[in-house]
Amino acid sequence: MSFTRMLLVVALAFGLAACGHNKFRTYNGPSVTSIQVHKGARKMYLLHGSDVLEEYDISLGFQPLGHKQFEGDGKTPEGAYFISHHNPKSRYHLSVGVSYPNEKDVAFAQAQGKSPGGDIMIHGRSNYKGTNIGDWTAGCIAVTDSEMEEIYAMVRRNTPIFILP
């Protein structure tokens, strides 16, 4: 193979690789020191101290009023939690885990003879087959896939998240 042909093949390979979308972004800005979710306003804020770094419109659980108490109630939790993990293989593009349930949540549900549920995430929408309008999750916080890529890159494990009514 001639040098020119080899150079052309390598250039073509790099060109094709550049066309693909990589959902894993990098972030080099100020650290996210906390997250605030305002359920009533359907807004989520990534904060560095008291400065808002990013603001997002969100969707919530399909029963958005009140604090999540039991598995299957369709509610998004309220209270102070933290980011527990990153999930690169989420059914909803990418996701980051919220540490619900805490000890208080577990104790309350058990006192009622029920499970508190769990697996609460901030996630994208890619595999959701519904309308993507309004509140549709089982209790999670949903944003667009593009926004989730940004959040995934910016937020670190153990970042506090405050979910307000």
Side-chain angles (χ1 to χ4, degrees), residues 34-151:
S34 68
I35 302 167
Q36 284 188 12
V37 174
H38 295 255
K39 288 173 55 175
R42 303 300 187 277
K43 295 283 187 186
M44 181 171 69
Y45 303 93
L46 303 187
L47 303 166
H48 176 79
S50 60
D51 295 331
V52 175
L53 299 174
E54 295 294 336
E55 173 184 332
Y56 305 96
D57 293 322
I58 59 172
S59 295
L60 300 170
F62 61 86
Q63 296 291 335
L65 297 179
H67 172 58
K68 181 168 194 63
Q69 297 177 317
F70 310 115
E71 183 174 10
D73 66 8
K75 295 182 179 185
T76 301
E78 295 173 358
Y81 298 95
F82 60 88
I83 298 302
S84 58
H85 65 284
H86 286 66
N87 180 4
K89 297 180 180 179
S90 173
R91 289 178 32 206
Y92 298 100
H93 193 58
L94 293 169
S95 62
V96 293
V98 175
S99 65
Y100 176 89
N102 61 27
E103 289 179 17
K104 183 179 172 184
D105 298 320
V106 171
F108 178 81
Q110 287 179 342
Q112 307 299 312
K114 297 183 178 185
S115 167
D119 208 23
I120 301 298
M121 306 281 203
I122 301 170
H123 62 65
R125 301 174 184 239
S126 60
N127 289 333
Y128 175 63
K129 302 301 183 208
T131 63
N132 280 340
I133 297 172
D135 297 318
W136 56 272
T137 77
C140 296
I141 300 158
V143 295
T144 68
D145 288 350
S146 177
E147 291 168 337
M148 191 60 229
E149 291 172 9
E150 187 174 82
I151 294 163

Side-chain angles (χ1 to χ4, degrees), residues 1-15:
M1 185 181 274
S2 74
F3 178 75
T4 306
R5 272 191 174 164
M6 189 178 294
L7 188 60
L8 184 59
V9 169
V10 169
L12 182 60
F14 279 113

